[in-house]
Amino acid sequence: MKKRATYYAFSGANTALTEVTTPIPTLHDGEILVNISYTTLCGSDLHTYCGLRNEPCPTILGHEIVGTIAEISARHSGLDVQGNKLQAGDLITWTVFASDPNSANYQPDTPQKNDRLYKYGHRKITEQDELHGGLATHIILRPHTCIRLLPKAISLRVAATINCAVATSAGAIRLAGTIAGKNVHVAGIGLLGLVTIAMCKELGASNIIASDVNPARLEMAKHFGASHTIYLSERENCALLQAITIDRFIDMSGSPDAMELGIETLGLHGRAILVGAVFHQRPTKIDAEQVIRKMLCIKGLHNYNYTDFSFAVDFIINNWRKYPFESLVEREFPLDEVNAAIDYALTHKPIRAGIYMDSSTAKR
């Protein structure tokens, strides 16, 4: 008898996810079967649930995932991206996408923008294509997925966030250029903002300014390395941005007001990296004259590349105990209570809610 997997299918906005049990298919060449250990609910999962993002339905939500290898197909290399041997029972993380390098428009610097992209947690369930999201007991990793071996001692609730929030933050840091000795302003203190602040701290930023409309989030920022915080309730609270030269602005909020302020207050040769605006909103206004006179650089980032992913893995391996990353998963739920987890996340707006597959992985 074939082994079976359980997943929770999302079929439409604001409707409860339904449990589905299915046989685990025979692996194709280059595939790896993973026992999911832990999944965190990303903001984009919640946006999809609420109808703010459109995904092909039915689908399996969840892409911030960590798990252990259950089976490796015969023609897989059996190695992670660094050449480490992989075997059953190994704890691994992987990119949220599989990008075919044989595609006509494939570019190594932006593999996430390939037209032949397989994106976990964002695909329609079909008879031929299941087990591709995190709200499940198992997932099948397709060929051209970048995989990294993880130490078994790492916290699962922290490791689950590597392949989305942490890697995206790493991409923002890469685009920002030199951080050491610079004054950095990070807007939007969710998981992305907190990770970015910690990375800036480790990279030797001179001052790290965190801005948000939530005082509790600003208090969190201090524990991740922020030297200054700005409560954006009123414009007069932003005097600090005028008092010192801001070299780097990284927006994780997606707020046009925050982006306009951040770009406006950049100094000469400043760089702005825009990451958070991945939903429909009013156009952001930019003073082109000031962009020209200050010789500013403004870049956008969507997802991340392989270099960013490996930087993120190394950063968490080296620093997950140094900063209070574990506390950012504010409540955990077993997989069979996934609808309660979504309700909690929407009502209480934690940094993250966590989903564990069995009691042995909870709070690990």
Side-chain angles (χ1 to χ4, degrees):
M1 178 181 287
K2 282 192 171 184
K3 293 182 179 180
R4 301 179 72 81
T6 298
Y7 63 81
Y8 284 79
F10 169 76
S11 299
N14 299 301
T15 59
L17 277 58
T18 55
E19 182 180 353
V20 178
T21 301
T22 186
I24 296 175
T26 301
L27 295 182
H28 295 123
D29 289 348
E31 294 182 339
I32 292 182
L33 176 66
V34 174
N35 294 320
I36 294 176
S37 301
Y38 206 99
T39 299
T40 44
L41 292 177
C42 178
S44 61
D45 294 322
L46 301 175
H47 289 159
T48 300
Y49 181 85
C50 294
L52 299 176
R53 288 169 55 107
N54 293 319
E55 296 287 0
C57 288
T59 187
I60 307 171
L61 297 176
H63 51 270
E64 291 185 341
I65 317 166
V66 67
T68 58
I69 295 173
E71 181 183 350
I72 302 175
S73 63
R75 298 191 65 180
H76 191 280
S77 70
L79 304 174
D80 78 352
V81 70
Q82 292 193 320
N84 297 307
K85 184 178 180 180
L86 299 173
Q87 57 189 0
D90 282 343
L91 184 69
I92 58 171
T93 182
W94 55 90
T95 48
V96 295
F97 57 84
S99 185
D100 186 349
N102 300 307
S103 300
N105 73 332
Y106 178 84
Q107 296 187 36
D109 289 342
T110 54
Q112 75 272 31
K113 288 300 174 184
N114 195 349
D115 60 358
R116 291 169 64 184
L117 196 72
Y118 190 103
K119 199 166 184 184
Y120 300 107
H122 299 274
R123 295 186 62 84
K124 186 174 183 177
I125 299 167
T126 68
E127 288 186 8
Q128 296 75 35
D129 190 18
E130 287 184 296
L131 303 184
H132 41 53
L135 299 181
T137 57
H138 299 76
I139 190 169
I140 295 175
L141 303 186
R142 273 61 183 186
H144 312 303
T145 303
C146 186
I147 297 170
R148 282 285 304 268
L149 186 66
L150 292 174
K152 289 186 179 295
I154 196 169
S155 166
L156 295 177
R157 59 170 95 173
V158 178
T161 65
I162 291 173
N163 67 351
C164 181
V166 183
T168 301
S169 297
I173 292 291
R174 171 176 54 85
L175 292 181
T178 303
I179 297 295
K182 302 297 185 182
N183 296 322
V184 184
H185 171 199
V186 179
I189 310 305
L191 182 53
L192 284 162
L194 293 168
V195 172
T196 300
I197 289 168
M199 287 180 174
C200 288
K201 180 70 173 179
E202 291 302 307
L203 291 170
S206 180
N207 289 288
I208 305 170
I209 301 164
S211 66
D212 204 287
V213 295
N214 185 328
R217 296 288 180 90
L218 292 174
E219 192 61 32
M220 288 182 185
K222 297 176 184 177
H223 298 289
F224 285 83
S227 55
H228 303 81
T229 60
I230 297 176
Y231 178 44
L232 293 174
S233 59
E234 297 178 355
R235 188 67 177 237
E236 54 263 31
N237 293 332
C238 304
L240 177 64
L241 298 176
Q242 304 286 354
I244 64 175
T245 299
I246 304 299
D247 303 299
R248 305 287 184 261
F249 169 61
I250 302 175
D251 180 75
M252 300 300 190
S253 72
S255 162
D257 290 337
M259 289 185 283
E260 289 163 359
L261 176 66
I263 294 170
E264 174 190 330
T265 53
L266 274 170
L268 184 66
H269 300 303
R271 292 192 181 194
I273 310 302
L274 309 182
V275 182
V278 288
F279 46 87
H280 182 70
Q281 61 203 318
R282 72 165 175 85
T284 300
K285 299 176 182 178
I286 296 174
D287 186 336
E289 179 187 0
Q290 290 303 307
V291 172
I292 293 166
R293 292 188 181 280
K294 293 181 181 179
M295 302 176 69
L296 303 181
C297 176
I298 301 173
K299 293 186 176 183
L301 174 71
H302 187 230
N303 296 140
Y304 55 84
N305 65 23
Y306 299 130
T307 300
D308 304 328
F309 173 66
S310 276
F311 181 93
V313 174
D314 293 337
F315 174 80
I316 288 298
I317 289 174
N318 293 327
N319 295 288
W320 71 270
R321 287 189 174 97
K322 185 173 181 179
Y323 299 93
F325 286 111
E326 285 192 285
S327 68
L328 300 181
V329 176
E330 297 178 34
R331 187 171 170 186
E332 298 177 316
F333 297 80
L335 180 61
D336 60 6
E337 294 181 18
V338 63
N339 287 302
I342 291 172
D343 289 343
Y344 173 82
L346 292 173
T347 301
H348 297 277
K349 296 178 172 51
I351 297 292
R352 286 293 187 270
I355 308 291
Y356 57 87
M357 302 308 131
D358 61 67
S359 58
S360 67
T361 63
K363 297 182 179 179
R364 205 204 94 181

